[in-house]
Amino acid sequence: MRVLALIASDGNRLPRGDRAAAALALAVGEGSATALHLPDDLEAAVYARAAGLATAPWAGRLAAFDALLAGPGAVDRLGDVAVGGLAEEACGSLAFDVLSATRSTDGWLVEADAGRGARVEIAVTGPLVAVLSNDAPRPPYVSHWRRRAARIHDRGRSDAAVPHGDGAAAWGPIVARPPRQASETATAESRTNAAFGIAESPSLDSAVVTGTAAECARILLRYLIDQGFVASAATMEATAESTAADTNPLAARSAAAPAAARAVGASPGELTAAQARAPRTSGDTPSRRGRRPRPLVPASAERQ
Amino acid sequence: MFGDEGVTREIMGNVPGWLAAAFYATALAALGWAAWLFWRRLALHRSGRQSCAPPDRRPQWTSLWGYLALHCQLRRDPWAGWAHLLAFYGLVILFIGTCLVFLEHDTPLHFYYGRFYQIASLVIDLGGVAMLAGLAMFACRRTLPIAGAERIYRHWHVVALLALLGAIGVTGFFVEAARIAVDMPEFEKFSAVGYSGAGLLRALGVAGQQAAAWHRVAWGLHAGLCVAFFALLPWKFFAHMALAPVSLVLRRRRPVAALAAVEPPPESGPGVVRWSNFSPLDLLQSDACTTCGRCNAVCPASAAGRPLRPRDVVLSIRDAIDRNGAGPSRFVADDVLWSCTTCGACNHACPVGIDVYDKIVDLRRGRVETGAAPAAAEDAFESIAAEFNPYGRANADRLAWAQGLDVPVAAPGEPIELLYWIGCSGAFSPEGQAVARAMIKILNRLGVDYRVLGAAERCTGDPARRMGEEGLFRQCAARNMATLREHRVQRLLTHCPHCFNAVANEYGDLRESDSAIAGDDAPRDPRPGWSPPAVIHHTEFLAAEVAAGRLGAAGLADQTLTIHDPCYLGRGNGRIAAPRSVASAGPTASRTFATPRPARQARQWWRPPARSARPCWTERGKRAPATVRRG
Ligand code: SF4
Ligand code: SF4
């Protein structure tokens, strides 16, 4: 299993959510987790090494992963759009304000902070991109002696093999990130929507995603499918195939997904179970509207 | 040489050969058994972790004189001290007497007769009386409400030792009395107790062969008890008789407040996670504990109702060695461990030189290294690492308290002869700020050429070290040393006893490699020829100014002053004269001082929980009045 932690310090210290992301990656990664840090962020690299993680500098793109656990410090530096893009790229699920994540038989069980003291538990299949909350349980303390050892003994040591896919699209902050306060006060849902470019978030005006026309169309279609506005797999497949000739590697990757599903005998409908959900409307019951982010499994598996 | 050779006794004269042989055989076996157990125990001690730091514990033979010969430390509690002194010297005399008898009987030497015999008999009898008197005092302490009785360790193996020694003493006198009662020789009057006992036996009609028979039985019983005593020597509380002197000789030479240098082997981190992470000396010390409970009696955390009992910490280590890996891995509970204020009173009170609080800090280090630091400590660590003070305040505000004062801040790289080190409490706590403001006014009034560092000053790392974050302490220390070196500081003046202790006693343990962790922004000054500054506490500085006549204390007249000796200054570093000489300056006719306890025994002033009836502080076990006036 490939588990990645994306962490960053604020110059002096690692926010608690980033430390929690590293600890969670270590716990669920079965000894093979890797921490990604910004190239100039020695503090984060040293912390991750002292915590027992392999490290690699963040270069903006990734090969396939099972879980990417991002800290709020890293998301502050890169912007919400970066994690949104990574989730998009991996055909994975994105969750903000995550408190904990555990492996389930077919994916992940994610506990997220729904605000005002409420918590939601979300069952996720497929890759997970989780942005840890600063209210996540306090991770085990990583002593400065261990950090000192990491600093002294790892000086000049080359980083772990970088888990970057050659063919993956590069994602990164395109414009200056929104102020930390704004991203912290927004709900997880609006941040998710903003990351996908679909909400009237104040930061949306400044968060412009650049890409080829095919890529933008694919993102739009994926959103429409996900929300149930467009009939599911066939359209997806058609879109993927229509863009297959495009040299954009991201599009090629999307095209491969349904094909892979067919190869293992799964129906497109099973592959995109979440896509079959009805869209939420303003007339929904409060409890239905209160589910956020929306679970990507049938409603029966959802636990409130 | 010693007079009439007839003035003696036949050693083992009335003892059957088989009994004597059995005694020798079992005594040898018991001593061999004890030696083997000690050897095994010492092997466990030796399996403790060896530090890579240069040892700071050279043998202190002289401490045997004060501690053991004079019982100075023990006699701070008069009842227990005198009881121990009597029992100790009684046992020593009886041991020497037994050796004399052995030499006379089992070697070609011949000296046990005449005047020597009589004097030796008298002294040995007095030794026996002293031992029994001491044991009786201990027994009274266990049963009567005598001062200090509340800290008694009520465990059956302590009672077993007292009972065994008492039985050895009583049977010894009975053996002597029965032997003398056989024919009542006049010269045996020197064996005062034995002779009196013999008279009593005769009065009861026990004489001649009957007395000889009683003698044989009593001798067998006495010999059996002695053999049992030999065999039990390495067992629990008994072991202190052999190990306490070793602990005293090897005890640390540093001031009480100074923690020893920590340099674990490269493959492991600092601190104790399992018992074998303690140093061999720590392990030996835990076996040397006499369970006297003096550490409990002086512990402020214990007085404040916290679950910490320093003696229990030491005994938990002993139990962990006994179990050798079995049992709970955390042999000291978290709430116990984090209750310690690191005041050092336990170290100071311990009569056998056990460094209790060093062990507590070592256990804390283990917790921190395994990620189990409590949340509050972790927050403080993060603040020290990121904001360079434990208060979590911006370090740029370090001089906010000095508004309106003329404070000379050092320019980068400026050489400083006298540096006033404000400290985090001086910079951020209102009480400390008041002291710093007063000190600045005095320095300016005296026209002293001094500097402060302002925002370049950082936490000394002392709170981190006390809470077990050794790595962070090193980092702070390395950074501060780089700053001091950059300014070529000659003298460092501080009012915080913790800063004083850290820089004066603990920064010297830094290693060359630590400079690598000072931080990338640390000043680098490769110039040779600088040694760490002399550290002066502000009371010493003021006392010197008062003595030189440059400073007076007229404003203190007609006032009652309370001197609180800070743990890290008075007890921890022995600086008790300077505050008193400053407070005594000027007209003293109507000056009174309130000192709740003798200076070095001062304990922290804790308000006990409301439900507790214990006084805020006590002196010699009595409830203290609100203010003790001393002229
Ligand atoms: S250092 Fe002070 S608080 Fe800690 S155990 Fe010793 S006496 Fe108690
Ligand atoms: S540690 Fe020292 S003071 Fe405490 S009980 Fe043991 S011998 Fe006594």
Side-chain angles (χ1 to χ4, degrees):
Chain A
M1 182 165 46
R2 168 158 279 174
V3 177
L4 303 171
L6 179 57
I7 58 174
S9 74
D10 62 7
N12 271 336
R13 69 169 109 189
L14 242 65
R16 174 143 145 207
D18 292 69
R19 287 184 272 135
L24 189 56
L26 200 62
V28 298
E30 294 161 6
S32 63
T34 300
L36 306 173
H37 59 90
L38 300 187
D40 61 341
D41 194 351
L42 181 66
E43 193 65 37
V46 162
Y47 179 92
R49 274 177 218 155
L53 288 159
T55 56
W58 162 256
R61 53 190 184 178
L62 297 172
F65 55 82
D66 295 293
L68 175 80
L69 307 169
V75 173
D76 262 7
R77 296 277 297 270
L78 298 171
D80 287 356
V81 71
V83 278
L86 289 168
E88 185 66 50
E89 181 189 324
C91 298
S93 309
L94 173 64
F96 279 101
D97 291 342
V98 169
L99 300 171
S100 70
T102 48
R103 288 290 292 174
S104 64
T105 46
D106 57 347
W108 298 92
L109 218 53
V110 176
E111 189 188 9
D113 186 353
R116 294 189 292 276
R119 292 180 174 196
V120 288
E121 199 166 278
I122 310 157
V124 169
T125 53
L128 167 71
V129 176
V131 179
L132 272 286
S133 162
N134 272 330
D135 293 327
R138 194 178 279 270
Y141 182 70
V142 176
S143 76
H144 279 74
W145 188 279
R146 289 165 69 178
R147 295 187 217 184
R148 169 181 181 256
R151 208 181 290 269
I152 292 177
H153 297 128
D154 292 5
R155 195 158 274 188
R157 152 195 186 282
S158 60
D159 280 305
V162 182
H164 295 152
D166 290 335
W171 283 91
I174 294 156
V175 293
R177 63 189 167 87
R180 182 183 175 81
Q181 240 180 344
S183 64
E184 276 194 346
T185 49
T187 62
E189 183 179 12
S190 63
R191 288 178 71 190
T192 310
N193 288 341
F196 282 100
I198 52 170
E200 60 278 27
S201 155
S203 62
L204 191 60
D205 296 339
S206 56
V208 181
V209 179
T210 58
T212 63
E215 189 179 330
C216 292
R218 196 189 61 77
I219 292 172
L220 174 62
L221 271 173
R222 183 173 170 77
Y223 172 72
L224 293 175
I225 292 166
D226 193 54
Q227 294 295 317
F229 290 115
V230 175
S232 60
T235 318
M236 181 79 177
E237 197 169 343
T239 312
E241 278 164 6
S242 72
T243 55
D246 195 315
T247 50
N248 187 319
L250 182 66
R253 199 177 145 75
S254 302
R262 280 199 304 275
V264 295
S267 74
E270 277 175 292
L271 184 72
T272 57
Q275 296 165 4
R277 290 174 313 175
R280 275 175 291 176
T281 64
S282 56
D284 271 349
T285 60
S287 67
R288 203 173 137 64
R289 269 189 281 121
R291 290 179 301 138
R292 55 176 183 264
R294 311 193 99 214
L296 297 184
V297 293
S300 60
E302 182 184 330
R303 280 186 263 158
Q304 286 286 355
Chain B
M1 187 168 89
F2 298 119
D4 186 357
E5 290 208 17
V7 178
T8 187
R9 66 180 170 91
E10 188 186 355
I11 296 169
M12 294 215 189
N14 187 36
V15 179
W18 65 267
L19 186 56
F23 168 68
Y24 276 115
T26 52
L28 277 175
L31 285 173
W33 161 260
W36 182 69
L37 285 184
F38 267 125
W39 179 254
R40 265 187 34 173
R41 197 68 176 178
L42 292 177
L44 285 175
H45 296 164
R46 278 202 310 273
S47 69
R49 189 159 65 195
Q50 302 286 349
S51 169
C52 298
D56 72 329
R57 299 174 195 261
R58 277 171 288 148
Q60 299 186 69
W61 299 106
T62 49
S63 65
L64 283 183
W65 175 248
Y67 276 80
L68 206 59
L70 301 181
H71 275 51
C72 295
Q73 187 90 351
L74 277 168
R75 282 188 292 108
R76 282 188 195 163
D77 173 344
W79 189 277
W82 281 105
H84 193 275
L85 189 135
L86 288 171
F88 171 76
Y89 276 112
L91 197 59
V92 167
I93 290 169
L94 291 178
F95 176 73
I96 293 171
T98 308
C99 290
L100 292 179
V101 169
F102 170 78
L103 289 174
E104 174 71 23
H105 185 252
D106 297 309
T107 67
L109 297 174
H110 180 48
F111 57 89
Y112 203 52
Y113 59 89
R115 186 59 72 191
F116 180 84
Y117 170 77
Q118 288 177 313
I119 292 172
S121 298
L122 177 63
V123 172
I124 291 169
D125 261 26
L126 289 177
V129 169
M131 186 184 81
L132 287 178
L135 294 174
M137 286 175 76
F138 277 131
C140 289
R141 198 157 156 273
R142 292 196 156 255
T143 46
L144 303 176
I146 293 169
E150 70 281 354
R151 57 182 167 80
I152 284 173
Y153 184 57
R154 299 192 182 279
H155 200 287
W156 70 269
H157 60 243
V158 182
V159 178
L161 176 64
L162 295 182
L164 183 57
L165 285 175
I168 289 173
V170 169
T171 54
F173 278 129
F174 194 88
V175 169
E176 186 178 47
R179 175 179 56 75
I180 296 171
V182 174
D183 51 1
M184 290 296 281
E186 274 297 304
F187 64 81
E188 289 286 15
K189 278 185 175 163
F190 278 82
S191 303
V193 180
Y195 198 81
S196 309
L200 194 63
L201 284 178
R202 287 226 156 192
L204 293 171
V206 179
Q209 284 308 306
Q210 198 183 0
W214 280 71
H215 172 258
R216 272 195 297 275
V217 172
W219 191 94
L221 187 60
H222 181 68
L225 290 170
C226 290
V227 168
F229 177 69
F230 295 154
L232 289 173
L233 265 177
W235 184 63
K236 290 199 181 264
F237 172 70
F238 288 55
H240 88 267
M241 288 182 281
L243 298 181
V246 183
S247 168
L248 276 173
V249 169
L250 296 180
R251 82 199 158 90
R252 50 189 297 148
R253 298 174 69 89
R254 304 178 143 230
V256 168
L259 287 170
V262 175
E263 205 55 61
E267 67 280 4
S268 60
V272 169
V273 178
R274 60 188 306 272
W275 67 267
S276 56
N277 297 147
F278 278 114
S279 72
L281 181 60
D282 284 328
L283 297 174
L284 183 142
Q285 284 189 335
S286 67
D287 275 341
C289 175
T290 66
T291 68
C292 67
R294 287 156 197 264
C295 48
N296 283 4
V298 296
C299 176
S302 182
R306 302 289 301 155
L308 170 62
R309 303 285 178 276
R311 175 175 63 193
D312 293 353
V313 172
V314 176
L315 296 183
S316 300
I317 298 169
R318 177 192 288 180
D319 288 347
I321 305 173
D322 286 344
R323 288 193 303 269
N324 194 7
S329 57
R330 291 198 173 177
F331 45 89
V332 180
D334 277 358
D335 56 347
V336 169
L337 211 51
W338 297 103
S339 294
C340 176
T341 66
T342 70
C343 69
C346 47
N347 282 17
H348 186 252
C350 182
V352 293
I354 297 177
D355 307 323
V356 188
Y357 112 84
D358 299 53
K359 293 175 183 46
I360 291 177
V361 172
D362 244 345
L363 285 163
R364 286 181 175 180
R365 288 184 187 126
R367 295 287 204 279
V368 168
E369 289 308 313
T370 50
E378 197 179 311
D379 290 343
F381 298 155
E382 291 299 329
S383 289
I384 293 172
E387 325 288 357
F388 315 123
N389 67 78
Y391 296 89
R393 306 270 293 275
N395 216 44
D397 294 342
R398 268 197 177 260
L399 280 184
W401 55 273
Q403 271 185 355
L405 290 176
D406 179 18
V407 183
V409 181
E414 178 188 359
I416 302 175
E417 204 282 317
L418 178 67
L419 172 69
Y420 181 28
W421 186 270
I422 311 294
C424 299
S425 68
F428 296 114
S429 88
E431 297 83 6
Q433 286 173 347
V435 178
R437 289 180 69 86
M439 201 57 207
I440 291 288
K441 286 178 191 164
I442 292 173
L443 290 169
N444 287 347
R445 176 75 65 86
L446 291 171
V448 177
D449 180 20
Y450 72 100
R451 295 287 183 277
V452 300
L453 288 176
E457 187 183 299
R458 295 181 174 192
C459 177
T460 55
D462 170 89
R465 189 170 210 209
R466 264 70 207 164
M467 286 191 280
E469 233 301 9
E470 188 66 22
L472 182 54
F473 165 74
R474 293 282 188 95
Q475 197 173 312
C476 296
R479 170 63 197 229
N480 284 328
M481 282 303 256
T483 306
L484 297 180
R485 171 181 281 275
E486 180 205 13
H487 289 283
R488 323 295 284 182
V489 175
Q490 303 296 307
R491 292 189 299 155
L492 188 140
L493 174 68
T494 174
H495 68 251
C496 170
H498 287 258
C499 295
F500 174 89
N501 179 64
V503 183
N505 298 325
E506 297 179 352
Y507 274 23
D509 296 330
L510 284 185
R511 302 184 134 206
E512 194 62 35
S513 60
D514 287 317
S515 61
I517 51 162
D520 294 336
D521 59 339
R524 307 269 172 219
D525 184 354
R527 289 176 291 167
W530 176 82
S531 50
V535 187
I536 316 158
H537 190 253
H538 78 306
T539 53
E540 293 175 302
F541 176 84
L542 295 177
E545 294 297 319
V546 167
R550 289 191 287 270
L551 197 63
L556 296 180
D558 302 324
Q559 288 186 20
T560 296
L561 302 179
T562 298
I563 292 181
H564 170 215
D565 288 294
C567 300
Y568 278 58
L569 192 68
R571 182 192 311 116
N573 278 288
R575 305 292 208 275
I576 52 176
R580 283 159 182 75
S581 78
V582 174
S584 309
T588 57
S590 55
R591 184 94 36 88
T592 53
F593 299 125
T595 52
R597 289 165 75 90
R600 291 201 188 195
Q601 294 176 42
R603 64 202 280 181
Q604 289 189 349
W605 292 8
W606 285 72
R607 288 219 169 274
R611 64 180 180 283
S612 165
R614 301 176 80 168
C616 282
W617 39 260
T618 57
E619 187 172 4
R620 304 199 170 208
K622 296 187 195 115
R623 191 181 173 95
T627 307
V628 180
R629 287 182 172 244
R630 299 229 173 108

